[in-house]
Amino acid sequence: MDENLLGSDKELEKQLETNIKKGLTTEEVTLKQQKYGKNELPKGKITPWYLIFLKTLVEPILLVLMGAAVISIIAPIISNKGHIEASEFIDAIVIFSIVLIDAILETVQTIKARKSMDALKSLSKPKTVVIRNDMQQEIDASELVPGDIVVLEAGKYVPAELRIIEANDLSIDESILTGESVSVDKTHLALKESTTILAEMKNIAFMSTFTTSGRAIGMVIKTGVETEIGKIAKSINENEEESTPLEKKLNSFTYWISGLSFILAILIFTTLFFSGDQKAWANYLMVAITLAIGVIPECLAAVVSITLSISTKKMVKQHVIIKKLQAVETLGNVNFICTDKTGTLTQNKMTVKKMIMDNKIIASKEYAKEKNDNHMDLFLKALVLCNDSVTEGSERIGDPTELALVDFAETIGYDEQDSRDVWQRIDEMPFDSERKMMTTVNTINKVNTAFTKGAIDQLLQRCSKIMIDNVVRDITEEDKKILLESANELSKDALRVLAFAYHLNYDKLKDKSDLEHDLVFLGAVGMIDPVRETAVNAVRLAHEAGIEVVMITGDHAVTALAIARDLDLAHSEYEVMTSNTLNQLDDKQLLRVIEQIKVFARVNPEHKVRIVDALKQKGNIVSMTGDGVNDAPSLSKADIGVAMGITGTDVAKQASDIILTDDNFETIIKGVNEGRNVYQKIKRAIAFVIGVNLANVLAIFILSVINTVSPLEATNILWMNLIVESIIALSMGMGSNDPTLMKIKPIKGKNSLFKGLGYTLFKIILFTTIASIGAYYFGMMFVTEDYLKEILGDQYNPSLSWHQALRSNEYSVEQKIEIGDFGRTAMFVTITCAPCFYANFIKLSNWKADKKINLIINKPLWIASMIAVLVNLIVIFIPGFNEKILNLASVNSYNSNNWYLILGALGISLIPVIFMLLLDAITFLIYHYKPEPWRRNRILAQELVELDIQNEKRKRRSKKKPS
């Protein structure tokens, strides 16, 4: 701790070259402004829209797609020896269009979510009162310099870091910085001991905190970036933006798929070159490049962006603003949520929960239902009259504890402003930290009545009587013992106890110092910043989803643990760690225990960053939730930062990835559900696209090796990839969410995008490859001798079958392609229609969780599938397009002997979906009804453990219920 806290006023005056009484002169201010600069916070970085757009274009997946587009232009030029038709550019145009759409979507979403103003600057209020040139004057807060003398009043923001040199009943709300919900009483006295905990720096007023009561004079010791909030702002700006887990996985996937396509191209070209006619190398190169491009999922970037975009629109309706598309998926993978207490899990509003009345503890709600007698009347008057807070509409000025008293009195019908107008204050003794009491005198029915509030132990020393059951009698030692025991019981539950008393002897007093003697004890209240009811349910849902919730707060450990118990977060002091303990641990020691701690108390902003960093080092996906300036660095550091939209500061919103517009912790869990479904939909689309592409490439490769000529043309593959595949893959992201995903525990650590897709990919590749090859040979059954003679003319050899003709080097590539028209047509029908049939049955949902089959119908996908099948059948019969562009059998080639070729191919297209459903049914039945012995035992053990946990929770809840 520096000398600014420990030094005397005279030492500070000398050090900062100022005069406490007269302030700085104009000349001194000018010199200091040149030295220290303006009292402004560093501005947040704002990236221009064009840089966002360009940055999007250089993402790996889009670079590979653009490379594929360029190759798709070069390949036909090589194949056709420089001659190229306009139709050859179709694939390149489509790919470039997909790249452009994806980049535009990403840019628009980022700009829509970004704040247009400088969030940090808005926190510093523009005007402040200072003493300069031996006179008070109002100046812009940005003009303050170290050594300035600032005048503070209730309801004003602190304009810079101040060392308090005079104070009168000064309280400051520092929750924005420390997270502590109760206002801090400040003093002008120098601290006796060093401290690094902001909440314990009692003689410092921190920049951007709020003065709730009293008046003070302070000396500016730090300005701008040197203040605590300035340090936080600087750390936010210095944090480099990390890629989200989805971005990392997609980048890794891109490298993998690029390498695979390159290897395939070499393998296919080499195989065809050495097994076929080496003179046709240009054609083989074209086939190799075409198949390599066929592996690359051109539509994937658009699928991901559109799926995420659809989800962000859904989440806006659920009160969630997504600043970056990929943040949706990251939220779905979160397995640790670190959350601030004040305003996030709690209401950030002190509330009366318990009462000590008639020597008993009763709930405040029960007390409010009681009959309004003389005792209640006096007690409620004490609450509102011995009180300086004011509420009017949404305006709330005053200490949070006093506001809580006013709120409680209003629930029973006592308005503080009306009460003060009727029963006017004629005298008072303000609160003093030494007396720990406050007294006011009000005229009630022409009787001057004194009301006193304060710490119960101090107040009982001044009481000679007590009101019990509406009767005033002498207070006994037994009464005091009961009251103190009751207060201790409330304190154990982290309730702040405040007691009230009165007397009618004001007119008989000879000295004002006797005002707080011979009092009649009325009762006491227990207050706390209560948990949000929705937060309790949200924590329960998080635990069910396998997500650990960690509470990080500036409050004391006792208060934090009490709140954690109400939330079912933690139940013993061993799960709580204070900042003192945290400071004593090195990084390795912290890593060993970090996942066992559920509550961190009395923490500073830098502690929050350290906690988040430690959890991330353990392989966790960490979300940080908060609303204050003190949360901003950790919001920025976390994998996913979640800020509160209503109570949250602009700093927190700027540092976050997601903003909750309803400040409801439960909304985060809705976001997790949406994120998990988004990720599942993306994985499903990837499984579909990669599975179909690999199946097509494998089938073409096998048939090319057998026949020395590709069974399909580049345009066939292009049609499949960019028309059919894209339509279906995009519609996969438009379906309803699967609620069972919230029963799955997130997988810890770095996981491949293909984790869990092996079985699905195996089914798609195996059955689609078999069906495609089968369809080709089915089509080639319709190649007759007359058909071969018509194509080969004088070169026709009756002894050669169509298969032998394809392998012969005597015929040109063009002739071989024409021979395969029927096989190509049948195979085209199968590769384009089979995916439309089984796309609706690719399930990656939690089918292991329940014996009941969870049917989720994706209407857009069904409609897209039917449209795709219809379009595929139509193009087969469009004269010119079918034979000139797609190289399929012409309409004129169908006759009475081959009319059922298309119907047969459609029938073969159903084979993959039939076998997939059959295999899934067998797997499902075996898993649920014939489990292996080891898995059956594990299930039973898990059920017993869960039963024990539920019984333990019921016992704890029953103990907490009042008798």
Side-chain angles (χ1 to χ4, degrees), residues 570-641:
H571 301 280
S572 75
E573 59 187 22
Y574 300 107
E575 297 174 285
V576 181
M577 181 179 288
T578 63
S579 58
N580 288 332
T581 306
L582 186 60
N583 286 331
Q584 293 170 9
L585 299 178
D586 60 30
D587 290 342
K588 289 184 179 179
Q589 291 171 325
L590 180 60
L591 284 173
R592 282 199 292 267
V593 300
I594 188 69
E595 293 180 325
Q596 281 72 53
I597 304 300
K598 306 303 178 199
V599 179
F600 290 90
R602 302 300 280 171
V603 296
N604 285 347
E606 61 269 20
H607 293 138
K608 296 186 178 186
V609 175
R610 190 180 176 204
I611 292 163
V612 170
D613 191 50
L615 286 169
K616 288 176 68 175
Q617 285 186 48
K618 294 286 283 186
N620 298 297
I621 304 297
V622 183
S623 168
M624 177 66 197
T625 305
D627 59 355
V629 176
N630 60 319
D631 300 316
S634 48
L635 287 171
S636 181
K637 183 68 176 176
D639 292 299
I640 191 84

Side-chain angles (χ1 to χ4, degrees), residues 431-446:
F431 178 84
D432 184 277
S433 58
E434 293 181 6
R435 290 173 22 254
K436 296 184 179 179
M437 285 186 289
M438 171 185 178
T439 298
T440 62
V441 181
N442 298 77
T443 303
I444 300 173
N445 298 328
K446 299 181 180 180

Side-chain angles (χ1 to χ4, degrees), residues 166 262 269 392 574 640 664 694 728 736 771 835 847 940:
E166 288 183 25
F262 181 74
F269 175 76
E392 187 170 351
Y574 300 107
I640 191 84
N664 192 338
L694 289 177
I728 295 174
S736 302
W847 59 271
L940 290 172

Side-chain angles (χ1 to χ4, degrees), residues 384 389-392 410 414-422:
V384 297
S389 65
V390 177
T391 64
E392 187 170 351
E410 283 185 348
Y414 280 70
D415 181 78
E416 84 279 4
Q417 294 192 56
D418 291 343
S419 299
R420 292 166 194 167
D421 290 340
V422 176

Side-chain angles (χ1 to χ4, degrees), residues 716 779 782-783 787 790-791 817-826 828-829 873-896 898-902:
N716 303 144
F782 297 97
V783 177
Y787 185 74
E790 182 182 345
I791 295 171
I817 290 172
E818 194 172 353
I819 290 172
D821 278 355
F822 286 121
R824 185 178 307 107
T825 302
F828 177 80
V829 171
L873 295 177
I874 289 173
V875 297
I876 291 172
F877 296 105
I878 297 177
F881 185 83
N882 60 348
E883 56 182 316
K884 297 293 184 183
I885 295 177
L886 295 177
N887 278 303
L888 303 178
S890 67
V891 177
N892 297 329
S893 63
Y894 294 100
N895 53 50
S896 58
N898 61 16
W899 63 269
Y900 58 90
L901 183 147
I902 305 301

Side-chain angles (χ1 to χ4, degrees), residues 462-718:
R462 315 290 182 97
C463 291
S464 59
K465 293 179 173 57
I466 186 170
M467 184 174 279
I468 299 286
D469 295 330
N470 214 31
V471 176
V472 177
R473 64 168 173 80
D474 290 339
I475 192 167
T476 65
E477 290 302 318
E478 182 63 24
D479 289 326
K480 292 182 180 180
K481 182 181 178 183
I482 292 171
L483 291 169
L484 288 173
E485 286 176 352
S486 298
N488 286 333
E489 190 175 333
L490 296 183
S491 296
K492 287 178 182 177
D493 288 333
L495 271 70
R496 186 180 185 186
V497 180
L498 204 56
F500 297 84
Y502 82 105
H503 72 66
L504 307 174
N505 304 326
Y506 177 76
D507 296 331
K508 300 176 185 179
L509 298 178
K510 294 180 180 180
D511 193 295
K512 191 173 180 178
S513 61
D514 296 330
L515 189 58
E516 294 175 342
H517 289 85
D518 197 25
L519 302 174
V520 180
F521 186 85
L522 285 168
V525 297
M527 294 176 289
I528 196 170
D529 181 11
V531 300
R532 293 171 178 263
E533 291 183 10
T534 53
V536 178
N537 184 53
V539 170
R540 178 183 61 80
L541 292 173
H543 288 163
E544 288 178 357
I547 302 170
E548 295 292 338
V549 181
V550 178
M551 186 170 75
I552 306 176
T553 177
D555 269 344
H556 291 279
V558 174
T559 306
L561 181 56
I563 295 294
R565 282 175 177 149
D566 288 342
L567 290 163
D568 201 18
L569 271 182
H571 301 280
S572 75
E573 59 187 22
Y574 300 107
E575 297 174 285
V576 181
M577 181 179 288
T578 63
S579 58
N580 288 332
T581 306
L582 186 60
N583 286 331
Q584 293 170 9
L585 299 178
D586 60 30
D587 290 342
K588 289 184 179 179
Q589 291 171 325
L590 180 60
L591 284 173
R592 282 199 292 267
V593 300
I594 188 69
E595 293 180 325
Q596 281 72 53
I597 304 300
K598 306 303 178 199
V599 179
F600 290 90
R602 302 300 280 171
V603 296
N604 285 347
E606 61 269 20
H607 293 138
K608 296 186 178 186
V609 175
R610 190 180 176 204
I611 292 163
V612 170
D613 191 50
L615 286 169
K616 288 176 68 175
Q617 285 186 48
K618 294 286 283 186
N620 298 297
I621 304 297
V622 183
S623 168
M624 177 66 197
T625 305
D627 59 355
V629 176
N630 60 319
D631 300 316
S634 48
L635 287 171
S636 181
K637 183 68 176 176
D639 292 299
I640 191 84
V642 183
M644 300 294 132
I646 300 172
T647 59
T649 61
D650 286 334
V651 178
K653 293 174 190 175
Q654 177 175 300
S656 66
D657 304 291
I658 290 175
I659 299 171
L660 307 182
T661 58
D662 63 351
D663 283 16
N664 192 338
F665 186 76
E666 191 174 18
T667 306
I668 300 171
I669 308 304
K670 293 179 182 177
V672 172
N673 181 35
E674 186 66 39
R676 289 188 178 185
N677 275 276
V678 163
Y679 189 47
Q680 196 76 329
K681 288 171 184 176
I682 290 172
K683 287 186 71 174
R684 187 179 174 191
I686 288 172
F688 171 76
V689 172
I690 296 300
V692 170
N693 284 357
L694 289 177
N696 291 340
V697 169
L698 186 59
I700 294 170
F701 177 67
I702 292 171
L703 290 172
S704 297
V705 171
I706 294 172
N707 300 322
T708 72
V709 66
S710 174
L712 293 177
E713 290 292 286
T715 49
N716 303 144
I717 299 169
L718 182 66

